[in-house]
Amino acid sequence: MAGQGRQISDRRVDDTMLIREAQHGNRAAFEELVRHYDQAVLRLALHLTGTEHDAQDVYQDAFLKAYKNIGSFRFECSFYTWIYRIVTNLCLDHLRKRNVRKEDAPVVKDADGGEYDLLDQVADGRPGANPERDLMRRQLGARIARALEKLTPRERMVFELKHYHGLKLRTVGEILHTTEETAKNTLFRATQKLRGQLADVR
Amino acid sequence: MKCEWIRENIVLHVYGELADDARHELEQHVARCADCAAELKAEQDFHALMAQDRAQEPSANLVAASRMRLQEALETAQQGGWWTRLAFDPANWLRQVRFSPALASAILILGFAGGMGTTYRIYGTRIQGPVIQTGERPAANEASIAGIDSITPVPGTDQVSIKYNTVLTEEKRGSLNDQQIQQLLLYAARNYNNSGVRVDSVDLLAQRSGDLQVREALIYALQNDTNPGVRLKSLNALGNYVKGDTNVRDAVLRALLNDSNQGVRIEALRLIEPVKADGSVRGVLMALAAKDQSQYIKSQARTLLAQLPEID
């Protein structure tokens, strides 16, 4: 535990030096900083946007924005919070635009009138895959994805950061420029809606 | 009221976000209240259901591709100055001004004085010709280069002459060791407008393929150039590093698998011959031997595989 604490503290010192170097125009230092955070950023963007192409666009825009504006970073929050703030803003924009368009997956209706995604029916041909369990997992994933789509962008973001990324609600509040209390209320609303949507899934 | 509070906080309890005293209170209440116990059970079931759905980790390929794309964009990106900071975070500036009346007054006075000064300059010095700067012009940086016209090596020397456009076409003459010459060559290798320029620059960069940055530019040309001649020249320039540089090896393998030009693929196959025992190369050879569209590549891959010792 102490070792882990030291690691986090070392990383912070490390980051501070890299940020200062990047603020003086050292591109290599910035690229090193990117490598510390980019997998988490990509994971968040990938799950929120749903496609590698869009996730790459969010990744690119986020780090370019960070690079151009790193001079304004004044160590008032951690770099982690700062970069997540940029990414979540870009993802929120993406979700809002998508809510307007709503033309994403090749969704069709089944005999009961329920919608399902054609791509979810494509079998996983990898060796060692258990087709039956795999199909069930994919169907559950598709139901959850559709339930998540019904949330407002902000509810979706709070739930995403808490449930899939395990962030503390205090950090979620900081990232979204709001209070911990508001983040708690938003999480409550999001889970209530999801429970309603997924009530028949067991 | 108590049950309402419990229901609002059950989700926080399940996500481990409840303070110790509140958690104790909730557990005590749930032990006595059947409705709230049922609500807790429902929330826990929901949590368990959601736990089956995990956010997918990005693949190594996606991470690598994203990093490469970002690196390219960073080459031309400019960091913002103080004015960008103001634009990026105006709220912070406004906060500072709100809490500093003296600063707000100073800004007002400066603005007023600046306005007066500008008016005086406009009406006071009405007749003024164009400003001519004298002295040596600073070297063009990549962002100010509009295009590259030509690259001409001087025969029998290591001198190169490169004509490039900024606002006017300029010429830079210098040794291949000159850093600015190298920068211009690297820029030219990625210049999409004129394939002749790209061929010339890749030709010259080949002489410096020991340099990591040059190799990256050559790999980029091999993977992205639309002209097969440029790709072939880049491939040849990288040939000596197939053994020592795994990035080069991977790029050559990608060309072997995916390049649309048969000549480039055959050359790539020839280049990987010295490293055919490598695991990734063996895998690619097996795929080609099994189902490549080209009979020649299929048979060559089989020949190379036949020369390898069997793996038990």
Side-chain angles (χ1 to χ4, degrees):
Chain A
M1 197 68 191
Q4 198 184 6
R6 193 177 309 124
Q7 254 182 8
I8 291 167
S9 141
D10 286 352
R11 160 66 64 86
R12 199 155 291 166
V13 172
D14 205 11
D15 279 357
T16 305
M17 280 170 56
L18 289 173
I19 293 162
R20 289 204 192 286
E21 286 287 315
Q23 285 178 326
H24 287 100
N26 184 340
R27 216 179 74 199
F30 182 78
E31 283 173 10
E32 182 62 29
L33 208 51
V34 168
R35 280 191 283 276
H36 285 183
Y37 295 93
D38 66 347
Q39 299 208 30
V41 164
L42 211 44
R43 185 167 173 259
L44 175 66
L46 189 59
H47 199 247
L48 274 167
T49 62
T51 72
E52 291 198 343
H53 180 263
D54 288 340
Q56 257 194 333
D57 283 351
V58 168
Y59 174 103
Q60 179 87 343
D61 291 350
F63 283 115
L64 271 180
K65 202 167 184 186
Y67 182 70
K68 287 176 183 168
N69 296 292
I70 197 156
S72 66
F73 182 75
R74 282 183 296 277
F75 299 92
E76 286 163 348
C77 60
S78 67
F79 187 77
Y80 176 91
T81 305
W82 192 68
I83 192 73
Y84 259 77
R85 203 172 277 163
I86 295 175
V87 179
T88 50
N89 276 330
L90 289 168
C91 286
L92 281 170
D93 286 345
H94 179 91
L95 291 175
R96 283 176 193 131
K97 277 183 204 154
R98 196 163 65 180
N99 278 0
V100 175
R101 278 189 267 118
K102 280 283 182 204
E103 53 170 35
D104 296 308
V107 172
V108 292
K109 289 197 171 175
D110 59 21
D112 306 325
E115 289 181 340
Y116 66 92
D117 187 337
L118 275 179
L119 294 177
D120 298 330
Q121 313 305 314
V122 181
D124 183 350
R126 285 173 299 184
N130 177 340
E132 202 174 329
R133 201 177 55 197
D134 207 56
L135 181 65
M136 282 173 67
R137 193 173 49 78
R138 274 206 313 280
Q139 283 175 341
L140 172 66
R143 279 295 308 267
I144 292 176
R146 280 200 296 279
L148 289 169
E149 293 279 322
K150 300 269 186 338
L151 301 179
T152 67
R154 221 168 163 75
E155 287 165 355
R156 171 84 198 263
M157 186 59 76
V158 170
F159 188 79
E160 181 78 26
L161 293 172
K162 180 68 230 172
H163 180 81
Y164 291 102
H165 298 267
L167 267 59
K168 285 273 163 203
L169 284 171
R170 193 160 60 92
T171 315
V172 174
E174 272 178 31
I175 289 171
L176 298 177
H177 270 307
T178 186
T179 61
E180 184 179 353
E181 205 50 40
T182 308
K184 281 178 182 173
N185 292 335
T186 313
L187 178 70
F188 177 72
R189 275 201 312 275
T191 51
Q192 288 297 307
K193 281 189 186 177
L194 288 172
R195 273 177 60 181
Q197 290 286 331
L198 299 168
D200 59 327
V201 184
R202 280 290 169 269
Chain B
M1 183 66 194
K2 186 76 177 174
C3 288
E4 196 182 327
W5 180 87
I6 296 290
R7 280 163 198 228
E8 282 169 8
N9 284 278
I10 274 178
V11 61
L12 301 178
H13 175 63
V14 171
Y15 278 112
E17 285 276 351
L18 220 49
D20 290 339
D21 50 350
R23 182 167 52 85
H24 177 75
E25 204 173 325
L26 187 139
E27 283 166 357
Q28 293 284 313
H29 178 88
V30 166
R32 294 190 306 268
C33 173
D35 285 350
C36 287
E39 178 65 15
L40 176 61
K41 171 83 173 46
E43 188 71 41
Q44 282 168 336
D45 288 348
F46 166 73
H47 195 69
L49 178 77
M50 292 302 291
Q52 292 176 49
D53 182 52
R54 291 175 183 278
Q56 180 196 350
E57 288 296 335
S59 67
N61 277 346
L62 180 62
V63 175
S66 306
R67 283 179 182 172
M68 267 179 70
R69 192 173 151 212
L70 178 66
Q71 269 179 340
E72 276 166 33
L74 286 176
E75 277 173 24
T76 50
Q78 300 276 328
Q79 283 190 327
W82 63 271
W83 54 273
T84 345
R85 285 173 219 170
L86 176 62
F88 188 62
D89 193 8
N92 186 54
W93 258 81
L94 287 174
R95 268 198 304 278
Q96 286 186 17
V97 170
R98 194 175 61 184
F99 292 121
S100 326
L103 178 62
S105 313
I107 289 172
L108 186 67
I109 291 164
L110 273 172
F112 186 70
M116 290 292 286
T118 310
T119 313
Y120 174 76
R121 277 173 70 93
I122 288 170
Y123 291 101
T125 56
R126 190 177 281 274
I127 303 161
Q128 203 172 39
V131 178
I132 299 169
Q133 282 189 336
T134 53
E136 199 176 325
R137 208 176 324 180
N141 61 29
E142 195 175 297
S144 67
I145 299 168
I148 293 200
D149 272 0
S150 69
I151 297 173
T152 320
V154 180
T157 66
D158 71 340
Q159 299 285 300
V160 190
S161 183
I162 300 176
K163 279 187 183 166
Y164 62 95
N165 294 320
T166 50
V167 178
L168 299 166
T169 300
E170 296 192 30
E171 185 169 347
K172 168 80 184 171
R173 182 186 286 254
S175 153
L176 269 177
N177 296 322
D178 184 325
Q179 210 180 356
Q180 204 197 336
I181 285 282
Q182 286 173 18
Q183 276 179 355
L184 284 167
L185 286 171
L186 288 171
Y187 176 77
R190 296 184 184 205
N191 181 355
Y192 279 89
N193 302 327
N194 185 334
S195 61
V197 167
R198 297 200 303 273
V199 169
D200 289 338
S201 64
V202 166
D203 240 359
L204 286 164
L205 284 171
Q207 296 175 33
R208 302 196 57 84
S209 53
D211 185 326
L212 196 62
Q213 210 185 348
V214 169
R215 284 210 295 280
E216 278 174 9
L218 291 170
I219 289 175
Y220 180 86
L222 172 61
Q223 289 178 343
N224 300 297
D225 205 290
T226 49
N227 184 317
V230 177
R231 298 205 297 277
L232 197 59
K233 277 189 183 295
S234 310
L235 189 60
N236 281 321
L238 291 166
N240 290 335
Y241 295 90
V242 168
K243 262 188 180 174
D245 186 335
T246 49
N247 286 336
V248 169
R249 192 181 310 166
D250 290 346
V252 173
L253 286 176
R254 277 196 292 275
L256 172 56
L257 279 170
N258 304 324
D259 202 288
S260 56
N261 183 284
Q262 193 75 342
V264 173
R265 297 186 66 211
I266 291 170
E267 184 60 13
L269 187 61
R270 191 185 66 77
L271 289 176
I272 54 139
E273 211 234 309
V275 288
K276 57 181 181 285
D278 179 88
S280 59
V281 178
R282 188 193 281 265
V284 169
L285 287 175
M286 284 165 80
L288 295 175
K291 53 174 184 183
D292 199 79
Q293 287 176 344
S294 154
Q295 281 304 322
Y296 177 76
I297 288 181
K298 198 190 256 188
S299 74
Q300 284 294 304
R302 283 181 183 160
T303 311
L304 289 177
L305 281 171
Q307 293 166 6
L308 291 174
E310 289 287 321
I311 298 175
D312 293 325

